[in-house]
Each structure stands twice: as structure tokens, then as C-alpha cells.
């Protein structure tokens, strides 16, 4: 059986790590194109100035528009060419990070997440959008980023909601990897060079990836609440550091090399629910994970463990928690139809997928979450 595992070349995490950014730029040359929201750059400008001076490098600010479109990434590639920059830096949240991946095309790329809200920083894939913000396409590159650098002081000063959303995204990692492992399904690690066109055969996940995914879930249970409390105080503790690593590294490697299944597909289906539009990716993925567990008839003890964790850190347990106060069966079917399109990851589940079963699981997960909340209040 063919298996695949893909990793960034180097992952570095610690307090004041931004002060070492210039060193990593210097391993490629003397300048870098910086792709970031201007507000994110302003927040860490003292660290950027200090590291540039210490290591004799310069940062060329690209003026990122905020959306990962084909036009914007081509413009940024032209800036890099005209300025003769030696590497690309993606700094900030998911959009800037994805834009930098597209601009770098898998070469000489440094990723600097300033929040731990999702698991994209380590991956070799990006999402492209149209000018109106609608989905365009996925892009895959020949390798993961050269360096992923995380300053835990910066993450601790970001709003706690981002860290909690990252835990929601990380929550799905083990359960989706387990399903993918049980079904011997293809993982994203097998998709770098033309494989979408069938030029290379698919590969399933490694035991190493499954082990990292399981560790991800263990860390969330052990340190999720304490990390949230530390972030509320804008302070770095060992619990916060462990959850930052969990949200970014373990979840990133777990989803890409361990596999996605129903949770992320159901999340994508939930885009048809207008009330949920203002909620973060990881917040919706957390509820979608609960739905996956209903779909696979998980044991009551496991369901309770998941809901105990979600409640402890404040993740949504019901659709109402996501701005959807009422859902009809027809609306649940619309969610399920999108989740079940042929190319979706839900088909990595180790049993046949039926649209009606997914709609049923969505409604029942909502009621189970509400029953849990009622029980906790009494």
C-alpha cells in the first residue's frame, strides 16, 4: 500500500521568536517580500525592525489586499520579481498565509502565523478565491513551507477567540484521521505534483500521522482550558505553548497527512446557513465534528468527552451557538447535499454516505448538544 507524509522543513516556536526572523531570511539572501495585512505588520513592527537590523536583511512590504485572488497573487509575484527579493514571508492569519504560498509556489517560503486559529501554516496547499470572496480553487505545491516560525508572545496577545477556534479545528483532526485510516482513503499529502489529474497514484496516511492526530486530541483535553485562561490574561504558559503547537503543528500535520473526513465536508455544507457566516472556521468545524460522531454512531462516553471539552473552552455545541436559531429538514438537506458532492472528504468515511443520513445527523447533533447544555444547567 502506498502511503505519504509531508512536513515543513523547519518548525520553530517560542517567546520572542520574531526576533530571529531575520536569521531565516539570511539563509536565503538579504531581502524578503512580506505579505501581510498592514495592521498585522504595525503590531509587530518593533520586532521586525530589530531583527532586520540584527541580521542585516530588509523586508519589502507587498501591500496585501486581504483576498487570495489570482490577480492579487500575480501582482505580488511581480513585486517580488521587480524588487529581486530572495524569499517570501506570509505573516498573519490564513489569507496572508495562503497568498504567500501561491506567490512562493513552494520555494523559499517562511510562514509566520500571528494567531493560532487554524492549521494551515504547515501545509503545502492554499485556497484561491474570486474577487467577490467566493471559492475559486485549491492549489497544491511541491513542498511544504521552508520555515514555520511562531512567536508565542504574539499569539498570547491576540483575542482568545482565535485560539479557541484553533482548538475547534484541531478537535476534528483525530476523528477525521481515524475515519480516513479505517477506510484506507487518500490523504492530501499525496497531492503535490499533478496528482489531481491522475499523474501520480493516491496514497493513504501513515501511522506517524495518525499518532500525531491522536496526540492532538490528548493535548486538547489536558491543556485546552488552561491555555484559554492564559490567553485571556495575554500570558505565555506551558499549557498555552502546548496548545499553540497542537493547533498549528499537530493539527496541521494530522489533517494533511492523516486525512480529512466528514467534519470538514459538513463545515463546507454549512456555508448555506446565513446565520453561521460570521463565525470562524474552527468554531463551525467543532460542531461539524460532533455531527460526524453522530453519523458514525460513536460511543456515548466518547461523545461526552468531546462535549465536555467543547463546553470547557466555549466552543459551539448547537446550531443556535452558531447563529442558526432554527433549521428545517429541507435546510439540513441542503447542507448535506453540499457536504456529499463527489469530490468532498466525507467520502473518506469507512461506510457509504447517504445525503439523508448526513441531514439526520446534523439535526440530531444539534439536539444532543442542547440536551448536554440543559443537563449541565440542572
Amino acid at each position: 500500500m502506498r502511503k505519504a507524509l509531508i512536513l515543513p522543513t523547519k518548525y520553530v516556536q517560542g517567546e520572542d521568536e520574531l526576533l530571529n526572523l531575520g536569521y531565516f531570511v539570511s539563509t536565503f539572501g538579504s531581502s524578503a517580500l512580506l505579505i501581510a495585512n498592514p495592521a498585522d505588520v504595525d503590531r509587530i513592527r518593533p520586532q521586525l525592525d530589530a531583527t532586520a537590523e540584527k541580521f542585516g536583511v530588509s523586508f519589502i512590504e507587498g501591500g496585501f489586499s486581504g483576498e487570495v485572488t489570482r490577480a492579487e497573487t500575480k501582482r505580488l509575484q511581480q513585486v517580488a520579481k521587480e524588487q529581486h527579493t530572495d524569499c517570501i514571508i506570509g505573516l498573519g492569519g490564513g489569507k496572508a498565509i495562503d497568498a504567500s504560498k501561491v506567490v512562493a509556489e513552494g520555494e523559499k517560503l517562511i510562514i509566520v502565523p500571528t494567531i493560532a486559529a487554524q492549521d494551515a501554516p504547515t501545509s503545502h496547499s492554499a485556497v484561491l478565491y474570486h474577487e467577490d470572496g467566493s471559492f475559486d480553487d485549491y492549489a497544491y505545491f511541491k513542498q511544504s513551507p521552508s520555515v514555520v516560525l511562531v512567536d508565542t508572545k504574539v499569539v498570547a496577545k491576540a483575542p482568545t477567540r482565535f485560539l479557541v477556534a484553533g482548538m475547534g479545528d484541531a478537535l476534528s483532526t483525530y476523528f477525521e484521521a481515524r475515519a480516513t485510516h479505517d477506510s484506507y482513503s487518500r490523504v492530501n499529502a499525496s497531492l503535490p505534483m499533478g496528482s489531481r489529474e491522475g499523474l501520480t497514484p493516491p496514497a493513504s496516511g501513515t501511522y506517524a500521522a495518525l499518532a500525531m492526530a491522536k496526540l492532538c486530541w490528548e493535548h486538547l483535553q489536558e491543556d485546552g482550558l488552561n491555555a484559554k485562561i492564559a490567553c485571556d490574561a495575554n500570558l505565555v504558559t506551558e499549557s498555552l505553548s502546548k496548545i499553540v503547537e497542537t493547533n498549528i503543528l499537530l493539527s496541521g500535520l494530522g489533517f494533511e497527512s492523516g486525512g480529512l473526513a466528514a467534519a470538514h465536508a459538513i463545515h463546507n455544507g454549512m456555508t448555506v446557513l446565513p446565520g453561521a457566516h460570521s463565525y470562524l472556521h474552527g468554531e463551525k468545524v467543532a460542531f461539524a465534528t460532533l455531527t460526524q460522531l453522530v453519523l458514525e454512531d460513536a460511543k456515548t462516553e466518547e461523545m461526552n468527552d468531546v462535549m465536555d471539552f467543547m463546553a470547557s473552552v466555549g466552543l459551539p455545541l448547537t446550531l443556535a451557538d452558531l447563529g442558526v436559531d432554527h433549521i428545517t429538514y429541507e435546510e439540513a438537506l441542503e447542507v448535506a447535499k453540499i457536504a456529499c458532492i463527489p469530490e468532498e472528504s466525507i467520502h473518506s468515511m469507512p461506510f457509504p454516505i447517504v445525503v439523508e443520513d448526513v441531514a439526520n445527523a446534523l439535526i440530531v447533533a444539534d439536539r444532543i448538544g442542547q440536551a448536554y447544555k440543559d443537563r449541565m444547567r440542572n
Side-chain angles (χ1 to χ4, degrees), residues 111-144:
I111 298 294
V112 186
T114 56
I115 55 176
Q118 34 87 3
D119 50 19
T122 64
S123 81
H124 77 308
S125 59
V127 184
L128 286 160
Y129 296 88
H130 296 295
E131 298 288 348
D132 63 0
S134 62
F135 173 79
D136 181 353
D137 199 5
Y138 293 107
Y140 295 88
F141 308 101
K142 67 179 182 180
Q143 61 194 22
S144 296

Side-chain angles (χ1 to χ4, degrees), residues 6-298:
I6 189 166
L7 312 161
T9 304
K10 185 180 287 289
Y11 179 89
V12 185
Q13 174 185 310
E15 296 175 67
D16 295 317
E17 197 57 45
L18 263 173
L19 298 177
N20 294 320
L21 178 59
Y23 164 76
F24 292 106
V25 172
S26 72
T27 64
F28 298 112
S30 60
S31 65
L33 176 65
L34 182 62
I35 298 174
N37 183 303
D40 288 331
V41 176
D42 289 341
R43 276 193 288 272
I44 48 91
R45 193 171 294 281
Q47 295 98 311
L48 291 177
D49 291 343
T51 195
E53 182 178 357
K54 179 178 179 180
F55 293 100
V57 300
S58 60
F59 299 110
I60 309 300
E61 296 180 33
F64 177 49
S65 70
E67 192 56 88
V68 193
T69 65
R70 295 174 189 269
E72 175 67 353
T73 53
K74 284 180 181 178
R75 182 190 69 79
L76 289 165
Q77 284 177 330
Q78 186 61 32
V79 173
K81 182 178 180 180
E82 291 173 354
Q83 297 292 330
H84 304 287
T85 55
D86 299 301
C87 63
I88 306 296
I89 297 173
L91 183 148
K95 295 283 189 178
I97 287 170
D98 273 6
S100 69
K101 292 177 186 177
V102 178
V103 173
E105 295 182 334
E107 297 279 0
K108 300 178 180 179
L109 174 62
I110 302 172
I111 298 294
V112 186
T114 56
I115 55 176
Q118 34 87 3
D119 50 19
T122 64
S123 81
H124 77 308
S125 59
V127 184
L128 286 160
Y129 296 88
H130 296 295
E131 298 288 348
D132 63 0
S134 62
F135 173 79
D136 181 353
D137 199 5
Y138 293 107
Y140 295 88
F141 308 101
K142 67 179 182 180
Q143 61 194 22
S144 296
S146 308
V147 179
V148 178
L149 183 149
V150 187
D151 191 321
T152 49
K153 276 190 177 179
V154 173
V155 173
K157 290 178 181 176
T160 304
R161 183 184 179 188
F162 290 126
L163 185 78
V164 172
M167 288 192 262
D169 202 14
L171 170 64
S172 71
T173 307
Y174 170 59
F175 302 105
E176 292 190 281
R178 181 179 69 182
T180 303
H181 174 82
D182 290 347
S183 64
Y184 301 97
S185 295
R186 186 213 73 195
V187 298
N188 282 359
S190 65
L191 279 175
M193 295 295 286
S195 55
R196 295 183 77 192
E197 292 77 33
L199 299 180
T200 58
S204 58
T206 62
Y207 288 103
L210 182 62
M212 286 186 282
K214 187 176 182 182
L215 184 61
C216 188
W217 173 221
E218 291 171 357
H219 280 186
L220 291 173
Q221 293 178 91
E222 293 166 0
D223 287 274
L225 176 57
N226 287 340
K228 177 184 182 296
I229 292 169
C231 198
D232 283 339
N234 301 130
L235 296 172
V236 177
T237 62
E238 186 58 27
S239 288
L240 183 130
S241 295
K242 187 186 288 188
I243 292 302
V244 169
E245 181 180 332
T246 297
N247 287 5
I248 295 175
L249 181 63
L250 292 177
S251 184
L253 302 184
F255 99 79
E256 189 161 48
S257 293
L260 297 175
H264 272 78
I266 293 166
H267 161 275
N268 294 343
M270 289 170 65
T271 58
V272 301
L273 301 175
H277 287 178
S278 63
Y279 288 82
L280 299 175
H281 171 83
E283 293 169 335
K284 290 179 281 190
V285 168
F287 179 77
T289 301
L290 194 60
T291 306
Q292 175 178 317
L293 291 173
V294 172
L295 188 64
E296 60 189 10
D297 192 25

Side-chain angles (χ1 to χ4, degrees), residues 322-342:
L322 289 167
V324 182
D325 294 325
H326 176 72
I327 187 169
T328 65
Y329 190 71
E330 289 70 25
E331 289 170 331
L333 276 175
E334 289 304 309
V335 172
K337 287 174 184 177
I338 294 174
C340 294
I341 61 175

